[in-house]
Every structure is written in C-alpha cells, then in structure tokens.
Amino acid sequence: MTEEWVPAEVDVNRPSIARIYDYHLGGTHNFPADREAAAQVVASMPELPAVLRVNRDFLGRCVQYLADQGIRYFLDLGSGIPTNGNVHEIAQAVDPSARVVYVDNDPTAVIHARKLLAGNDRVAVLNADLREPKAILDDPEVKRLLLLDLDEPIAILMSAVLHFVPDDTEAEALVAAYRDAMPPGSFLAISHGADTSEDAERIDTAVQTYTRAVAPLKLRTKQQVGAFLTGLEIVEPGVVHCSEWRQAAPEGQQLPQICGVGRKPVGSQ
Ligand SMILES: C[S@@+](CC[C@H](N)C(=O)[O-])C[C@H]1O[C@@H](n2cnc3c(N)ncnc32)[C@H](O)[C@@H]1O
C-alpha cells in the first residue's frame, strides 16, 4: 500500500472491520493494526479466512442470480472495500445499465470505492450507517439511482454485516424497515456469521476477541437469520450454509456462515 492512498480521516492505528475483511480476502488496503487484530482472532478461529472467502463467493453467486432474475437496482449495505467480484461488476456484466448504491460507514471503504467508481454514473457510494434506514432510503442518490419512487423491484444486500448489529431488537427492526420499503418483487439477501453449537467455547473466544479488538460481534442461529426474511418467499435452497447456496456443497463440515434470500411477493404492499 502507498502512503498516498491513506485518507486523512482514517486512523490507521485502530483496527477496522472493513480493512480486516480486506486483509483476510488477500487485499492490500489494511495496516499493521488490522493485521494484528486479525491474527488475534485467527488464533482461536483458524478457519476464519476460509469463512470470509465462502461469504464473498456467496455474494457473487447471489448477485449473479438476482441479475439473472431481472433485477437491475441494487442497494448494498455494508459493502466493504472494493475487491474481487464487486456487485456493480457482476450486475453490469449482465446488463450495463444496472445501478448500484454502495453504503458503508467506514471511511476507508467509502473513499476507496469512490476513487474506483469515479465517472461511473450508474453507481453511487454513501457514507452512512445501515442502522438508519430512513436516512438511507430517503437519500436523493438512492431515490434517483434505484428509482424508488417508481416502485421498480430492487435487491437489498446485507452480506456479512448484520452480525455487527449485536442487539437483536435493533437488528430485527432495521431489517423490517428495509423489507417494508422494498417494492413488491424485490429481493432481500442476507449472509451472517453462524452460531453453531459445535465447538461453542472456541467460537465464543473468537467472538470475544473480535469484540475486544475491533467491534462488537453477534453470531446468530439459522432460525434467527431466517426470521430476518419474514413475509418473503424464500428462494431455494432456503436458509443454508453459504457454501451450499445454489452450488454443490463441498464435502465435510460446513463453515459457520449462513445465508438466505427472500422475495417480496408480487401483489403485496
Ligand atoms: C465483513 S465486511 C462485508 C463486505 C461485503 N458486504 C461482503 O460481504 O463482501 C462488513 C462491512 O460492513 C461495514 N459495516 C459494519 N457496520 C456497519 C454499519 N452499521 N453501517 C454501514 N456499514 C457497516 C464494515 O465497515 C464493512 O465494510
């Protein structure tokens, strides 16, 4: 990484969710503090980099699926630092007119995405907190790019981000607000760190380490993730491990990252 890249408002000494994810995916937009925090978590959860790759692969397959279903408007909440297989690249490969609004509250993610996307008038990057659905849905760029006032179906993506909203009531309420705002025919796609009963003590240590070193983290069960899709028609194969979603699952124990995609019934409010 070059010094020139470091934005002034970024505190390089404070580990960041977005930069740690970038590091685990093999990216270069991270600093020693991020790598040290990442190493602390990996000490109790060596499979974490594999979990995150499985998550990113799910996101790619999911966007491809949604674009193949005819979705052209994407709201990507907690979008991260641009890396391989960005949402706009996949969607615009299917239809160059596809539009994407990326939202992240990490300045590194926002600044880097804006730099990459300068000149692409079908993509916008918002520096915003997904816990404020009204502010995001009322944002003029979101309304303009995603045609929200015209009730065109959209896809809302929450990939590997809801586990950073530890309070269950808050998480349920904010997801409901996005779900309610989606026009009929829209999709909601979620992936989430899984609370598996296997190896609970070891995973708990990793979660506590992440919470201490980076940010509060809350894993959820398959049932809890499924509940985020309440009222939607669940796309096959349902709420499953990410590696099992619309591909042949690899053999052996599945990595603890689950996902589900739901469609708002046509004819509903
Ligand atoms: C693990 S990364 C996932 C990136 C991408 N969605 C993916 O699945 O490849 C989580 C991202 O969510 C962002 N994030 C965490 N909490 C957020 C919040 N409250 N509002 C907006 N973004 C948030 C982080 O900054 C980070 O970039």
Side-chain angles (χ1 to χ4, degrees), residues 1-238:
M1 170 166 1
T2 62
E3 288 304 313
E4 172 211 31
W5 174 79
V6 182
E9 60 267 57
V10 169
D11 180 356
V12 299
N13 297 313
R14 229 179 118 203
S16 117
I17 297 171
R19 296 197 307 261
I20 289 177
Y21 186 65
D22 173 74
Y23 169 66
H24 282 310
L25 290 181
T28 55
H29 302 303
N30 49 76
F31 301 102
D34 304 308
R35 298 191 282 273
E36 276 161 33
Q40 285 174 33
V41 181
V42 164
S44 43
M45 195 176 174
E47 69 274 37
L48 183 61
V51 173
L52 301 182
R53 281 196 297 275
V54 159
N55 177 77
R56 188 75 191 176
D57 290 348
F58 156 74
L59 177 62
R61 288 197 308 286
C62 176
V63 173
Q64 181 70 51
Y65 167 83
L66 296 169
D68 290 344
Q69 299 302 303
I71 294 295
R72 297 293 177 264
Y73 307 102
F74 294 82
L75 179 59
D76 185 0
L77 300 170
S79 45
I81 296 172
T83 181
N84 285 338
N86 294 305
V87 171
H88 72 284
E89 293 164 340
I90 299 169
Q92 291 181 350
V94 174
D95 182 342
S97 72
R99 298 169 181 201
V100 180
V101 178
Y102 290 114
V103 177
D104 209 289
N105 65 352
D106 183 315
T108 312
V110 171
I111 290 166
H112 191 63
R114 284 189 179 149
K115 205 167 163 185
L116 180 82
L117 295 163
N120 187 336
D121 59 3
R122 294 178 310 278
V123 183
V125 186
L126 252 60
N127 185 353
D129 193 317
L130 87 147
R131 290 170 296 184
E132 292 171 15
K134 186 163 162 34
I136 290 174
L137 293 162
D138 285 347
D139 185 279
E141 277 295 88
V142 173
K143 281 186 177 267
R144 180 184 71 80
L145 272 175
L146 306 186
L147 305 186
L148 279 186
D149 292 334
L150 298 185
D151 273 358
E152 287 285 325
I154 65 172
I156 297 184
L157 313 172
M158 296 192 207
S159 171
V161 68
L162 278 174
H163 42 238
F164 298 117
V165 183
D167 185 88
D168 289 337
T169 308
E170 184 182 18
E172 282 157 22
L174 78 87
V175 175
Y178 288 109
R179 236 175 23 222
D180 290 350
M182 300 193 311
S186 297
F187 289 85
L188 173 62
I190 292 176
S191 68
H192 200 294
D195 180 358
T196 53
S197 52
E198 301 152 29
D199 238 356
E201 205 174 310
R202 184 175 67 84
I203 299 300
D204 195 44
T205 305
V207 169
Q208 284 178 31
T209 307
Y210 195 97
T211 297
R212 238 184 354 258
V214 192
L217 177 67
K218 167 83 181 274
L219 304 182
R220 293 192 169 92
T221 63
K222 200 169 169 174
Q223 285 70 25
Q224 286 175 303
V225 174
F228 287 137
L229 303 173
T230 297
L232 306 181
E233 298 161 348
I234 309 293
V235 169
E236 288 296 324

